[in-house]
Amino acid sequence: MSSVFGKPRAGSAPQSAPLEVNLAILGRRGAGKSALTVKFLTRRFISEYDPNLEDTYSSEETVDHQPVHLRVMDTADLDTPRNCERYLHWAHAFLVVYSIDSRQSFEGSSSYLELLALHAKETQRIYPTLLLGNKLDMAQYRQVTEAEGAALAGRFGCLFFEVSACLDFENVQHVFHEAVREARRELEKNSLARPLFISEERALPHQAPLTARHGLASCTFNTLSTVSLKEMPTVAQAKLVTVKSSRAQSKRKAPTLTLLKGFKIF
Ligand SMILES: Nc1nc2c(ncn2[C@@H]2O[C@H](COP(=O)(O)OP(=O)(O)OP(=O)(O)O)[C@@H](O)[C@H]2O)c(=O)[nH]1
């Protein structure tokens, strides 16, 4: 990481406009989402904070010598995915966190992975996802084996790491940067893809929320207004439009790290 949190170190070389990557951290209450976020942003481990606090932080990072404007949404869903639109239509990539000393949090992580798989199917997009088994320092209280974590990640085709928010910073930084690498790869692939041509025809009838069709926990979100993609019109007829995804807003705008609100650092 070539920058002190939030600003490039003095003297660092002038850089091209950084790629913007939005990363949402999901998981059951107590899995360690906030602790991992704070560790990555400040290199410190927090002991306690307001568990209902949900915020989005931004950080100027350098990943593989390339500048990245990284936004991290530390979500607070309690136990199951709720009001998912705020992160489904905002994030380019996801970290799904469970705690290795809690079977419940491990089972909770698969409902997030299921939701993300359905969202990817619904939108025909790929959303890089990393499954993290947190609290590796608590291995003596382990309730979930590394093999189980790897198997779950394999089932959903996502990367898997075991980490600890209270051990060394480099491991935590590595998983955040891995997420950035995966997201950057997808963003670059999509930007090379053919532009989206949308005919001006009538939109397809609005589809029922995902949960209604897949019986998922109370996580509903409006699909982007689907459009009728007919046979590709000639370029002259087609109109290139940008489809704005709904900008997710965290419950409280946090353009910069609001670390001290509700966090106690030691
Ligand atoms: N030993 C240990 N404790 C951790 C670790 N990560 C988090 N904790 C502790 O576990 C508790 C929950 O951590 P949080 O970061 O608040 O978990 P969360 O997923 O953000 O929880 P919510 O905000 O309620 O969704 C806190 O007491 C943390 O100090 C870790 O890696 N090791």
Side-chain angles (χ1 to χ4, degrees):
M1 186 160 94
S2 76
S3 61
V4 174
F5 169 70
K7 51 189 177 310
R9 279 209 177 96
S12 57
Q15 301 181 349
S16 57
L19 175 76
E20 293 195 355
V21 173
N22 295 341
L23 181 60
I25 307 193
L26 311 176
R28 270 178 74 101
R29 179 175 23 184
K33 301 180 296 291
S34 302
L36 285 168
T37 303
V38 171
K39 181 77 171 190
F40 170 64
L41 296 172
T42 71
R43 297 173 177 247
R44 291 182 178 179
F45 172 61
I46 53 171
S47 66
E48 59 192 65
Y49 69 103
D50 168 3
N52 302 311
L53 183 73
E54 173 169 304
D55 252 325
T56 301
Y57 308 100
S58 61
S59 172
E60 305 305 325
E61 296 290 318
T62 299
V63 180
D64 304 334
H65 311 295
Q66 293 180 38
V68 176
H69 179 72
L70 177 60
R71 289 189 200 89
V72 179
M73 184 190 288
D74 170 17
T75 64
D77 261 353
L78 299 185
D79 296 329
T80 55
R82 290 186 317 156
N83 309 322
C84 311
E85 185 166 7
R86 70 190 190 282
Y87 48 76
L88 287 179
H89 291 294
W90 175 82
H92 301 116
F94 297 90
L95 298 182
V96 176
V97 185
Y98 68 90
S99 170
I100 67 165
D101 67 350
S102 162
R103 192 97 219 147
Q104 252 191 343
S105 82
F106 177 63
E107 282 150 12
S109 61
S110 48
S111 53
Y112 282 98
L113 292 174
E114 220 174 279
L115 170 73
L116 296 176
L118 282 170
H119 178 52
K121 190 164 164 232
E122 179 95 8
T123 55
Q124 297 291 303
R125 299 284 298 260
I126 293 177
Y127 299 91
T129 302
L130 283 68
L131 178 64
L132 304 183
N134 188 37
K135 306 194 187 179
L136 186 54
D137 58 295
M138 305 277 275
Q140 69 272 34
Y141 303 107
R142 186 186 278 273
Q143 291 186 8
V144 183
T145 66
E146 187 176 5
E148 288 177 292
L152 180 63
R155 223 177 87 207
F156 288 91
C158 52
L159 294 176
F160 172 64
F161 297 91
E162 287 199 331
V163 292
S164 167
C166 63
L167 295 180
D168 56 315
F169 163 74
E170 283 65 29
N171 276 349
V172 173
Q173 183 190 48
H174 176 70
V175 295
F176 277 81
H177 283 188
E178 273 305 293
V180 168
R181 288 187 185 96
E182 295 290 314
R184 181 163 55 197
R185 206 168 292 140
E186 276 310 307
L187 289 167
E188 283 162 359
K189 240 186 338 185
N190 295 334
S191 64
L192 294 175
R194 272 178 297 169
L196 181 62
F197 291 94
I198 292 182
S199 71
E200 300 291 338
E201 297 296 312
R202 169 180 56 75
L204 291 174
H206 183 75
Q207 296 195 344
L210 187 69
T211 42
R213 281 176 281 126
H214 301 284
L216 261 186
S218 63
C219 164
T220 56
F221 60 91
N222 298 319
T223 50
L224 285 175
S225 60
T226 40
V227 288
S228 58
L229 273 183
K230 297 178 62 174
E231 64 288 343
M232 200 54 78
T234 63
V235 175
Q237 291 164 333
K239 196 171 144 231
L240 178 60
V241 293
T242 48
V243 178
K244 290 228 173 313
S245 65
S246 60
R247 303 284 305 149
Q249 299 290 330
S250 75
K251 285 185 198 135
R252 297 182 11 224
K253 267 202 159 313
T256 52
L257 181 63
T258 54
L259 181 58
L260 299 181
K261 271 184 211 143
F263 286 103
K264 190 171 90 186
I265 303 178
F266 53 67

